[in-house]
Amino acid sequence: MSSTEHSTLRHTALDALHRSLGATMTDFAGWDMPLRYGSERDEHTAVRTRAGLFDLSHMGEIGVTGPGAAALLNFALVGNIASVGVGRARYTMICRSDGGILDDLIVYRLAEQEFLVVANAANAQVVLDALVERGAGFDAQVRDDRDAYALIAVQGPESPGILASLTDADLAGLKYYAGLPGTVAGVPALIARTGYTGEDGFELFVKPEHAVQLWQALTKAGEGVGLVPCGLSCRDTLRLEAGMPLYGHELSTSLTPFDAGLGRVVKFEKEGDFVGREALLAASARAEQNPPRVLVGLVAEGRRVPRAGYPVVAGGAVIGEVTSGAPSPTLGRPIAMAYVDAAHAAPGTAGVGVDIRGTHEPYEVVALPFYRRQK
């Protein structure tokens, strides 16, 4: 990478530390991020069996505060944010007026009149602009907090023990999709029990100037149980095995939540109007009468890896399209998520393949997720 290219990318507070660890860096949504430190497979396996440490500081944090904050978010997003309790979080989406998905989000309620909206890095500006625009007339402030936070995730079965050794916060009482303020290794943090790996784990929101101290403390605390630093590459294979959608692959402005099989996030029963309501009501009715393509799992019978955009075929006809594909370290075979016609979506449907450069490779249709952790 030339010095010009290096300077145009944004860097997290942990940039020098990643380089000192020998990370392979990549441009991700305008950020210079670690792709891997060594073997992607080893990093993936560490998260499934022990623990992994991720820098997610590229994610887009947006603060929404004020007496009208809950009402604004109820209007701007498809979920019922006003019903989220203080200290809890909710997975939701922001849609266009035509029902197309602008982004999927996690919203944390930090206080009665204070929310933290976390958007995908590539969509952070779009979400911020939409919230500012939709906030007109509400007694609330929308704030770009992307520079106010570094975000470090520790994920995997050993993560509760690692974090417990560094904090006196009540981790045992912290439910999935909840967050609480606490101190970790002497650093003030929002401790959230969330993640994108299919494993138990935590995401720690801290000031950028505290990121290195926290990363080093977590690294030291995890030494005895096999914690390793992990890049974005294994994060992708982990979320794929867990059947979690990725914006730009399983989600886009050309799909409504109902098209994506995630209609459950749309709460028509909430009080008041919300952006996209009419279009989403129509999409919901359409989906009931004429089922859209269904997001399914595909497991290869051979070794060739399907990639996003490859056609899914049956009986010589195209019946769908791959949205994400990769070798699965846990299953030991290539896997993919794909939208396919409802007639071919049932697990075990015979005769389904993926057109990989002109060859129809046989695939087994399975229910998502591919992997579910043992509780």
Side-chain angles (χ1 to χ4, degrees), residues 31-85:
W31 290 81
D32 208 10
M33 298 297 294
L35 186 63
R36 72 183 78 81
Y37 297 84
S39 153
E40 292 162 15
R41 177 178 290 271
D42 290 350
E43 291 171 25
H44 180 110
T45 304
V47 175
R48 284 276 177 261
T49 59
R50 304 184 306 277
L53 195 56
F54 296 83
D55 179 9
L56 306 179
S57 303
H58 60 309
M59 299 296 281
E61 294 88 3
I62 301 161
V64 182
T65 57
L72 160 55
L73 290 171
N74 257 18
F75 171 71
L77 312 179
V78 300
N80 188 351
I81 308 306
S83 69
V84 178

Side-chain angles (χ1 to χ4, degrees), residues 1 6 9-11 15 19 25-27 30-34:
M1 184 185 288
H6 181 75
L9 293 175
R10 297 185 70 175
H11 300 100
D15 184 72
R19 292 171 195 284
M25 306 295 284
T26 188
D27 175 358
W31 290 81
D32 208 10
M33 298 297 294

Side-chain angles (χ1 to χ4, degrees), residues 136-150:
F138 288 92
D139 186 8
Q141 293 76 49
V142 176
R143 190 177 60 239
D144 182 354
D145 277 349
R146 281 175 287 181
D147 292 335
Y149 291 103

Side-chain angles (χ1 to χ4, degrees), residues 343-369:
H344 293 86
T349 300
V352 173
V354 176
D355 184 340
I356 300 181
R357 299 190 187 89
T359 306
H360 291 189
E361 298 284 338
Y363 273 75
E364 181 189 356
V365 179
V366 300
L368 292 169

Side-chain angles (χ1 to χ4, degrees), residues 157 176-177 193 198-201 244 369 371-375:
Y176 187 51
Y177 266 72
R193 199 164 210 151
E199 297 298 336
D200 192 10
M244 294 176 169
Y371 167 87
R372 191 176 265 115
R373 73 182 172 94
Q374 302 301 306
K375 300 287 188 204

Side-chain angles (χ1 to χ4, degrees), residues 58 65 124-125 187 237 280 312 361:
H58 60 309
T65 57
Q125 192 62 47
V187 169
T237 52
L280 290 168
V312 181
E361 298 284 338

Side-chain angles (χ1 to χ4, degrees), residues 157-171:
E158 296 287 353
S159 59
I162 292 168
L163 194 57
S165 72
L166 297 172
T167 183
D168 56 7
D170 178 20
L171 299 183

